[in-house]
Amino acid sequence: GAVVSQHPSRVICKSGTSVKIECRSLDFQATTMFWYRQFPKKSLMLMATSNEGSKATYEQGVEKDKFLINHASLTLSTLTVTSAHPEDSSFYICSARGGRGETEAFFGQGTRLTVV
Amino acid sequence: DQQVKQNSPSLSVQEGRISILNCDYTNSMFDYFLWYKKYPAEGPTFLISISSIKDKNEDGRFTVFLNKSAKHLSLHIVPSQPGDSAVYFCAAFVQGGSEKLVFGKGTKLTVNP
């Protein structure tokens, strides 16, 4: 299947700093990318949907100024957690899908963020 | 409102036996369904999918069944292997719509040797 690479896999940062997570589709053009967050013992929570070249659409309750999403090219989307706090510590996962008609979404490996 | 429900948080089966993971949905607009497998601290891996125009899709040891009238789908794994132990997520979306995947909460499968 298609490959989606997410980097870094683990990051520890100090409270108040910002962290950038990258999501790359390696062998296909991802017109749509999704960012998820997984809480312990809970499902994947969709944070936002981004389409290449346009602003991300955030889910209700997700702070767009805190979780900045950029989808500047068809192979790269970034999630920046700004002014991170310990409660932002979580597992973040991106997924990517090709154009309409492409029904499978391929997931990155995830990023474990720990804010200390 | 949870549109995709996996009512069993966990399932334990013996190696070699069949594992059946269930998923129910409430949104009749969903027309494409997927199953993902997830190991701890990793991203989900796509397993198998099914379109609403079908009622069964098979891929090796994995078979997904869809009952549209009951808004129910299931994933059968046979024979189950210890390496199948993971959390399995059911997901659904509307093709041509927002295309957002809606996930269930997952079922943790443990296959005992």
Side-chain angles (χ1 to χ4, degrees), chain A residues 90-104:
Chain A
S90 192
F91 193 63
Y92 294 87
I93 306 172
C94 72
S95 76
R97 183 183 296 149
R100 287 186 179 270
E102 295 293 328
T103 50
E104 292 180 26

Side-chain angles (χ1 to χ4, degrees), chain A residues 10 34 36 38 42-44 46 49 59 91 93 97 100 102-110, chain B residues 32 34 36 38 41-44 46 49 89 93 95-101 103-106:
Chain A
R10 289 179 179 274
F34 305 89
Y36 296 86
Q38 185 171 32
K42 290 189 178 181
S43 182
L44 295 168
L46 178 65
T49 302
E59 295 300 299
F91 193 63
I93 306 172
R97 183 183 296 149
R100 287 186 179 270
E102 295 293 328
T103 50
E104 292 180 26
F106 299 94
F107 286 79
Q109 305 93 319
Chain B
Y32 204 86
L34 309 94
Y36 287 89
K38 186 182 182 300
E42 292 184 13
F46 170 77
S49 63
F89 289 98
F93 75 101
Q95 295 185 74
S98 68
E99 300 196 28
K100 293 189 300 188
L101 278 173
F103 282 88
K105 290 192 173 183

Side-chain angles (χ1 to χ4, degrees), chain B residues 12 16-17 23 37 47 59 61 68 73-75 81 92 100 103:
Chain B
S12 183
R17 297 287 187 98
C23 178
K37 173 181 179 181
L47 267 181
D59 183 3
R61 297 186 298 115
K68 280 181 294 185
L73 63 156
S74 60
L75 174 68
Q81 300 172 355
K100 293 189 300 188
F103 282 88

Side-chain angles (χ1 to χ4, degrees), chain A:
Chain A
V3 179
V4 174
S5 176
Q6 189 173 337
H7 178 81
S9 58
R10 289 179 179 274
V11 58
I12 300 173
C13 71
K14 289 186 176 181
S15 188
T17 62
S18 295
V19 174
K20 181 184 283 188
I21 303 169
E22 292 188 348
C23 181
R24 294 181 184 272
S25 57
L26 298 185
D27 53 0
F28 69 103
Q29 292 184 326
T31 54
T32 306
M33 285 190 172
F34 305 89
W35 286 95
Y36 296 86
R37 179 174 178 178
Q38 185 171 32
F39 294 95
K41 298 183 180 180
K42 290 189 178 181
S43 182
L44 295 168
M45 182 195 81
L46 178 65
M47 297 174 66
T49 302
S50 73
N51 292 296
E52 185 266 338
S54 60
K55 289 185 178 180
T57 302
Y58 289 82
E59 295 300 299
Q60 192 173 9
V62 178
E63 298 175 62
K64 61 179 68 176
D65 294 329
K66 180 166 187 63
F67 298 100
L68 301 178
I69 291 171
N70 185 283
H71 191 165
S73 76
L74 284 170
T75 58
L76 173 65
S77 177
T78 60
L79 167 67
T80 302
V81 183
T82 63
S83 187
H85 291 125
E87 55 265 32
D88 298 326
S89 299
S90 192
F91 193 63
Y92 294 87
I93 306 172
C94 72
S95 76
R97 183 183 296 149
R100 287 186 179 270
E102 295 293 328
T103 50
E104 292 180 26
F106 299 94
F107 286 79
Q109 305 93 319
T111 297
R112 168 66 64 189
L113 170 63
T114 303
V115 184
V116 298

Side-chain angles (χ1 to χ4, degrees), chain B residues 20-70:
Chain B
I20 300 177
L21 298 124
N22 292 304
C23 178
D24 297 292
Y25 61 97
T26 58
N27 188 344
S28 56
M29 296 296 291
F30 288 143
D31 56 5
Y32 204 86
F33 306 88
L34 309 94
W35 283 95
Y36 287 89
K37 173 181 179 181
K38 186 182 182 300
Y39 294 112
E42 292 184 13
T45 302
F46 170 77
L47 267 181
I48 193 168
S49 63
I50 188 167
S51 165
S52 60
I53 62 173
K54 295 186 176 181
D55 54 19
K56 177 183 175 181
N57 188 25
E58 189 173 354
D59 183 3
R61 297 186 298 115
F62 302 93
T63 303
V64 56
F65 295 93
L66 174 63
N67 182 334
K68 280 181 294 185
S69 60

